[in-house]
Amino acid sequence: MGIHKYSAWLWPGLVSVVVLTAFAIRGSDLPAAATMLAALFAALTAAAFILPVAENPALAQRKAVKSLLIAFAIFIVALALSTAFVVYDPSAAWLAAIKLGGVICAFALGLRCSLTDDRAKRLFEALLYAGGAWAVASIVMFILDPAGIYGFEKFGAGRLTGAFSSPNSAGTLFGALGVMALGRVVSRMLTRQEPQILERIDPVMAGVCAVSLATLMLTVSRGAIFSTMICAAGLCVLLLHRRLSVPKLAAIGAAALVGLAVIFATPLTSVIGRFDGIDGDALERATILKSHFSFAAHKSWLGSGLGSFNTVNDHIVTAEDYPALAVMRAMHNVYLQWFEETGIVGLAGLALLNLAVLAPMVSGARRRHQMGGRIWAILAGYLVFLLHGFTDYAFQEPALAMFVALLLGCGFAMAGNTAAARGTLSHDRGTTTGEA
């Protein structure tokens, strides 16, 4: 029984090691590292689908999976049309396709490893623990070398970056982690039966939440902080609105904001200081968006091909917009960049694929009492990425895109799982099921 208990953590452990490796690689958005990550996720996914796993119900019997496969097929056809007719940079298109393949494999891996509630709980918690571990490591590295990473000078010196290409990308990750860990703490507190409230709080998950929020503040990312605040508030309202009245919710929220402002006073001062330059940033990004939207509008149906952003950027730069376009590495709006590269057809395919994933998750979160809190937490974490995607480019970093895909695969499986009958033994743990 003991061996079986520890073996149940094998897949979550393997996946967490790969995630930590992805986070720790300097320049994970560069070709060699991105290709290696895609290959790692592809190998793990192949092994996961070859080896037998417990399923409740069987994967083939889930209606949501059939709808997802149809949406996925449409998405692939849309990308194929864009790639077949217009490709500005074939080598970049291949690299983008490899990255996208890694994201797809990560989603499939998260799904395959979460086909019972016990397995889904383990994977979700393991991913949050891995994120919390990287938050701690990032803080230590930042204290030791605020201006660099692994001995190299980094972009955004004086702001925590981790090993990512931008402090804003790090902010997106740690904001999403903080929101998901907060959701886990709150949902556990609401479902446990211990008489004392402190007994119902998971101290490790509370620690993950605290260290993630601390790391977020050190990134001094305005967009990430505001996206996190919006998603955290929305998640708490969703989880607590049936337990507390609106005035009490508002009072607790205000107290939490005051407490966080006191705890994180120093980084908040830096965030407020960055607002002095917001006019310049807004003007620069407006120039970027205007220049690229003008180009994209002329190829609105099929775009200019996957991965073509840098080539297009070099093509459209002029003397007037050179200061804004010459030093940029991404669009600062993932939706406009996707539109430029894949057109209306690709954008519609992506929207349909997201709908096929998110609609069953929302339905499952509303329907499944025991797992609903976890599903809402994953949705709130994904929303941090979606909101911050309007002004930054965390989705362009393969390590972060694959991490989000893993979580979505896990949440999609949670939504379709059927809870084991009370008093029966779990396939995974040999213990009775329940919320823990």
Side-chain angles (χ1 to χ4, degrees), residues 77-263:
V77 170
L79 291 187
L81 286 172
S82 173
T83 304
F85 290 99
V86 186
V87 178
Y88 264 58
D89 189 337
S91 61
W94 276 109
L95 178 60
I98 290 171
K99 293 178 182 178
L100 184 59
V103 173
I104 293 168
C105 287
F107 177 87
L109 179 62
L111 173 61
R112 182 65 173 173
C113 292
S114 306
L115 293 177
T116 67
D117 282 350
D118 281 342
R119 294 172 65 87
K121 290 175 186 177
R122 288 194 191 92
L123 180 61
F124 178 48
E125 292 179 1
L127 290 174
L128 293 188
Y129 295 153
W134 182 243
V136 172
S138 297
I139 291 174
V140 171
M141 290 190 295
F142 179 69
I143 293 172
L144 295 176
D145 187 4
I149 179 70
Y150 302 146
F152 296 91
E153 185 178 357
K154 67 183 180 184
F155 172 76
R159 298 169 58 193
L160 186 144
T161 304
F164 306 115
S165 66
S166 164
N168 295 323
S169 295
T172 310
L173 170 66
F174 294 122
L177 280 169
V179 169
M180 289 186 289
L182 174 64
R184 184 71 196 97
V185 170
V186 173
S187 64
R188 186 180 190 273
M189 185 176 64
L190 294 175
T191 55
R192 293 292 289 247
Q193 303 300 318
E194 287 84 355
Q196 299 297 323
I197 190 170
L198 291 178
E199 296 176 0
R200 288 182 261 156
I201 295 176
D202 182 344
V204 178
M205 200 60 70
V208 171
C209 179
V211 74
S212 298
L213 293 179
T215 315
L216 165 66
M217 301 305 295
L218 291 174
T219 67
V220 199
S221 173
R222 295 164 301 196
I225 290 171
F226 281 114
S227 298
T228 301
M229 290 173 62
I230 292 169
C231 296
L235 179 60
C236 288
V237 169
L238 272 171
L239 296 176
L240 295 171
H241 75 282
R242 293 182 179 177
R243 302 292 187 100
L244 299 174
S245 63
V246 173
K248 287 183 178 179
L249 274 174
I252 292 173
L257 284 176
V258 171
L260 290 172
V262 172
I263 294 171

Side-chain angles (χ1 to χ4, degrees), residues 4 7 36 43 89 141 146 149 191-192 221 273 306 321 345 348 377 392 394 426:
H4 184 72
S7 67
M36 184 199 77
D89 189 337
M141 290 190 295
I149 179 70
T191 55
R192 293 292 289 247
S221 173
L306 275 177
D321 56 26
V345 172
D392 271 294
S426 162

Side-chain angles (χ1 to χ4, degrees), residues 25-36:
I25 293 175
R26 178 175 172 268
S28 66
D29 56 331
L30 298 177
T35 302
M36 184 199 77

